[in-house]
Amino acid sequence: MIGIVGAGVVGSRVAETLRLFLHQQIYIYDTEQIVAQRLAGRLSGGKSQFSVVDRNTMKSAKVVVLAGPSPQVSMARELLAAGVCVVSTSDDISDCLNLLALSQLATENNATLIVGAASSPGMSGLLVRHLAESFDSIDEVHVALHGTGGPACARQHHRALSGQSIGWHDGEWLRRPAGSGRELCWFPEPVGAYDCYRGELPDPLLLKRAFPELERVTGRVTATRRDRVFSRVPMMIPPQAEGGMGGLRVEVRGMKSGARLVDVIAVAERVGQVAGVVAATTAQAIYKQDIKDIGAHVLGEKSMPSSLLLTQICSAGINLHSFVRA
Amino acid sequence: MKFIRRVLLAVSVAGAVAGVIRFKGKGVGAIKQGGWRKVTDPKQN
């Protein structure tokens, strides 16, 4: 049985995707029980049975998706100690680092921990692995994200523009102020072109872990002037229930047949939808033992069944777009 | 009074310069060489 912690935007999409995969028994837990009950009531029926449970009952699940706001490390530690496999959707740098530090705990308890199984990070790693297979070798990856999922994701996006971005550059980690380094990035329609800036994103950290051969990795987010100006102050207007159409763009550079090549692949979809589908697909893969490795892992690693995951993600309705030159 | 006049002058000069840069600046045009193609089968590269 698979559990979902958090019944917000991402949690709802995880539940919907698991129902699409005809998963039979699904537990839902949220700090606001009424939200969890509403989700269970909306999706129950057919072959899938949704049950609202308390925090302790989650320990009886085989796999749990953490779809609540960051930090997720304390819940992950609790579940891993009970031998439950965990899929984390955290997009906070310190939370991801703390989660990776739980690798030994996961190994001791014979459990799998997937860190950053969302849109960015998560889908970005799978897309890099997909593109990397067509290269002889890759050395640069540049990720750009547009849009936000639920309110917690919007708050994280706000924080990401005010902190310190981290990027891998020729053998060392470079810290630069978030909100700097403007670059115009093109996403598939209907998103189009947006100015992207360095952000405090965990993508470079996790991608470097999955692809140790990389020499340069950067992560950027789209932002307007207003986003950049007000990123230093607390959010004064509460975020919307869900962000609009989002996009994820992954640019990979490397060598193929002796020539330097740049390849771009992207997704244009609501960020919460992508995150939910990626997390649910990963949880399903652990449940079905397509992912057997214990310890902490990130999506895109060589040991992960990236091709299978990507095929299932596409079959769940996420469309990939490849940039082709005229 | 002199200080206010100087501030107003500085603001108007800065505004004029910013306006010239904004409207005379070389904008980035739309990509004319390429586009997006839907990936039908992710197994194929």
Side-chain angles (χ1 to χ4, degrees), chain A residues 4 51 76 78 112 130-131 145 162 164 203 228 230 264 271 301:
Chain A
I4 303 167
S51 317
E78 216 173 284
T112 305
H130 171 68
L131 286 185
L145 177 73
S162 63
Q164 288 265 314
D203 252 318
R228 291 169 65 217
F230 290 106
V264 183
V271 173
E301 272 180 17

Side-chain angles (χ1 to χ4, degrees), chain A residues 130-269:
Chain A
H130 171 68
L131 286 185
E133 281 167 7
S134 64
F135 283 79
D136 294 333
S137 66
I138 61 166
D139 48 34
E140 282 190 49
V141 171
H142 305 283
V143 176
L145 177 73
H146 170 71
T148 56
C153 185
R155 287 192 191 91
Q156 180 59 33
H157 176 268
H158 181 82
R159 279 196 297 271
L161 280 168
S162 63
Q164 288 265 314
S165 83
I166 188 162
W168 182 254
H169 189 94
D170 294 343
E172 59 179 333
W173 289 109
L174 281 189
R175 285 186 174 274
R176 291 277 184 270
S180 64
R182 184 172 68 174
E183 193 176 304
L184 185 69
C185 293
W186 294 82
F187 295 86
E189 295 302 331
V191 180
Y194 272 92
D195 278 331
C196 295
Y197 302 85
R198 292 190 190 101
E200 197 176 274
L201 305 173
D203 252 318
L205 279 169
L206 302 186
L207 286 174
K208 179 64 187 161
R209 186 184 163 104
F211 302 87
E213 68 271 29
L214 291 176
E215 288 169 15
R216 291 182 186 186
V217 193
T218 61
R220 282 180 161 79
V221 284
T222 62
T224 59
R225 281 194 190 115
R226 194 184 62 184
D227 293 337
R228 291 169 65 217
V229 168
F230 290 106
S231 65
R232 313 277 164 189
V233 295
M235 279 183 103
M236 284 174 282
I237 303 167
Q240 294 173 349
E242 186 173 2
M245 184 59 86
L248 173 68
R249 181 184 182 278
V250 174
E251 183 178 324
V252 177
R253 301 178 189 183
M255 302 297 285
K256 186 180 181 182
S257 308
R260 184 103 182 122
L261 201 72
V262 181
D263 229 340
V264 183
I265 195 163
V267 174
E269 183 56 80

Side-chain angles (χ1 to χ4, degrees), chain A residues 111-130:
Chain A
T112 305
L113 166 63
I114 305 292
V115 181
S119 178
S120 168
M123 186 68 175
S124 52
L126 293 174
L127 293 179
V128 174
R129 179 59 66 193
H130 171 68

Side-chain angles (χ1 to χ4, degrees), chain A residues 83-127:
Chain A
V84 180
C85 298
V86 173
V87 176
S88 161
T89 58
S90 179
D91 56 356
D92 179 81
I93 289 186
S94 54
D95 197 29
C96 284
L97 285 172
N98 290 335
L99 283 162
L100 288 172
L102 296 179
S103 185
Q104 199 181 342
L105 178 70
T107 309
E108 283 167 5
N109 290 285
N110 209 24
T112 305
L113 166 63
I114 305 292
V115 181
S119 178
S120 168
M123 186 68 175
S124 52
L126 293 174
L127 293 179

